Amino acid sequence: MSAPFSDYLKLLREVGSLLEQLAELAQQKADAVRQDDLLALDDVLKQEQALGLNLRGLELRRAKLVPQLGLEGTTLSVLPTKCPPELEEETYQTVSEVQNSYRIYRSSSNMVRTTLELNLHQIEKLVTAAGGDPKDVDAGYAPAEVEPPRSMKTDFRA
């Protein structure tokens, strides 16, 4: 059981590393928003999307490992009590690192959300000051006035 559990700890460390990268991207996103740099924001969003896909892959690996280890329903905080005795210290350290990475990520994420909300409120004030109704503001896309040619349409059916 020691080898699969070591694999699980390795996976948790990868999750922690990705969370740290996401926290750094959150800082970059906030900076881009504060500087009104849409190109930088777009770049950060693309990087976030790639990391999100990596996290999804790690989640799939985790979902396969958990039943093998008999850890269904086990929370991260009690994981050190469920590990092989020889891996208890390493497990405790890994869990602490992942939890800390998650706390940092959540804090950064909340800060970015607040920054974005403040900027959206400023945009609404500008729209109102210009005589518009902020509720009428959409994503900036005009409705299609002309139907696209048949060759450009798709025929997907669910």
Side-chain angles (χ1 to χ4, degrees):
M1 180 165 161
S2 190
F5 205 88
S6 291
D7 291 342
Y8 189 63
L9 293 179
K10 180 181 175 189
L11 181 132
L12 289 177
R13 284 190 292 274
E14 289 178 48
V15 168
S17 175
L18 284 177
L19 289 172
E20 290 170 8
Q21 291 175 49
L22 284 168
E24 176 60 34
L25 286 177
Q27 294 292 333
Q28 291 176 22
K29 188 189 313 181
D31 292 342
V33 168
R34 285 188 203 104
Q35 296 169 5
D36 296 326
D37 189 346
L38 292 178
L39 293 177
L41 181 60
D42 186 51
D43 184 50
V44 171
L45 292 174
K46 287 176 184 175
Q47 291 176 55
E48 267 187 342
Q49 186 177 24
L51 289 178
L53 291 173
N54 287 347
L55 271 176
R56 177 69 177 132
L58 291 176
E59 170 57 22
L60 293 173
R61 284 180 35 208
R62 187 200 67 79
K64 289 180 183 177
L65 277 173
V66 166
Q68 291 175 7
L69 297 169
L71 296 174
E72 296 94 339
T74 302
T75 62
L76 196 57
S77 58
V78 299
L79 189 61
T81 65
K82 305 278 186 167
C83 71
E86 67 271 14
L87 295 175
E88 190 171 337
E89 184 60 35
E90 182 183 355
T91 301
Y92 179 77
Q93 184 178 0
T94 301
V95 165
S96 295
E97 290 170 2
V98 170
Q99 288 173 328
N100 187 48
S101 296
Y102 181 72
R103 275 191 292 279
I104 292 169
Y105 166 70
R106 289 289 298 177
S107 175
S108 297
S109 177
N110 288 336
M111 179 267 306
V112 169
R113 185 179 67 242
T114 301
T115 303
L116 287 168
E117 288 172 353
L118 287 172
N119 279 13
L120 287 173
H121 289 301
Q122 289 176 343
I123 291 170
E124 288 175 353
K125 286 180 184 179
L126 289 172
V127 169
T128 302
D133 184 0
K135 292 181 177 120
D136 292 338
V137 176
D138 57 12
Y141 299 106
E145 296 175 13
V146 178
E147 189 171 322
R150 182 162 177 75
S151 62
M152 293 181 74
K153 293 182 180 179
T154 58
D155 190 23
F156 293 115
R157 295 187 185 149

